[in-house]
Amino acid sequence: MGRLWACLIVSVLCVVYGFGGAKLEAECKTLQQKFASSSTQFTNCLGKNTKPVHICVNCVDTFKNVNSSFVNITQSANCSETLLDSDNAMVTRRLWDAYYNMWSSALCDSCSGLTVDIAENFINKTNEVVHCFETTPHRTICQKCNNEYDTLLNLFKTLQRDGFACADLADSMNSTSHSWSVSYNCGHLPLEYLPVLTMTLGVSLVPVIFYLSLWKFG
């Protein structure tokens, strides 16, 4: 996975910077370089925060930067067509689409509505469950940790109902639910979380999908 992230970054730098291509006007070159730089920073942030998933909290600033740099390109009368549609691979557009789709599918914007108190409460409840798992004999976990686990699960359901269950929270809840259901055999994994499992897996596959698209269309 590390090599794929590196390949994606190299592809961004080589293709977006236009190595070997036609010379760009100064305005277009500046827009291109800003997009390349912000893309690299965001890609690095994704690679460092995919497991456990902390992309919505830790990568929000770099996402805003790459979003801003892409919007600046689209609003440029002199450079938008050149930078977005003139190459066969349409790397800039495809890269932005991959980022935007990932960010949207991870429901990262919903995390912005979380207050510090709500986020800390969820973290504390999660830590209480994990502590119970770690300090309770295996054979009695289902009984001894049931209250703590149910409290956490109900809190997550409330956050999910209110639209705050972004990938960061969902990944944490999925990990705890997996331990409860599979590792300790205390119950079945809730079916409503299976789509979120698929979504969080998709986050980790972004570099694979995009690099293959470069190989196919380049």
Side-chain angles (χ1 to χ4, degrees), residues 95-202:
L95 182 56
W96 167 248
D97 287 345
Y99 285 155
Y100 179 78
N101 291 336
M102 180 279 302
W103 192 260
S104 298
S105 66
L107 305 178
C108 284
D109 286 340
S110 68
C111 273
S112 62
L114 288 173
T115 65
V116 173
D117 289 342
I118 293 176
E120 288 184 350
N121 185 40
F122 182 83
I123 293 172
N124 290 336
K125 296 302 181 185
T126 300
N127 290 338
E128 288 176 8
V129 175
V130 173
H131 177 73
C132 188
F133 288 169
E134 293 176 345
T135 59
T136 303
H138 193 291
R139 67 182 181 278
T140 60
I141 282 179
C142 298
Q143 178 183 359
K144 297 291 186 180
C145 302
N146 185 67
N147 289 337
E148 288 85 352
Y149 178 77
D150 280 349
T151 298
L152 174 64
L153 182 60
N154 289 331
L155 174 60
F156 179 78
K157 287 181 176 180
T158 298
L159 294 174
Q160 188 178 47
R161 182 197 64 204
D162 294 340
F164 294 140
C166 63
D168 294 20
L169 300 187
D171 181 71
S172 175
M173 189 67 236
N174 282 329
S175 178
T176 307
S177 294
H178 184 271
S179 296
W180 178 259
S181 304
V182 179
S183 300
Y184 304 120
N185 197 30
C186 294
H188 297 294
L189 188 67
L191 292 178
E192 61 264 32
Y193 302 137
L194 294 181
V196 182
L197 282 170
T198 303
M199 178 269 291
T200 52
L201 176 61

Side-chain angles (χ1 to χ4, degrees), residues 76-98:
S76 171
N78 297 326
C79 304
S80 60
E81 182 176 355
T82 299
L83 296 179
L84 297 179
D85 302 316
S86 62
D87 58 286
N88 291 333
M90 294 189 295
V91 174
T92 301
R93 189 180 295 279
R94 289 179 184 275
L95 182 56
W96 167 248
D97 287 345

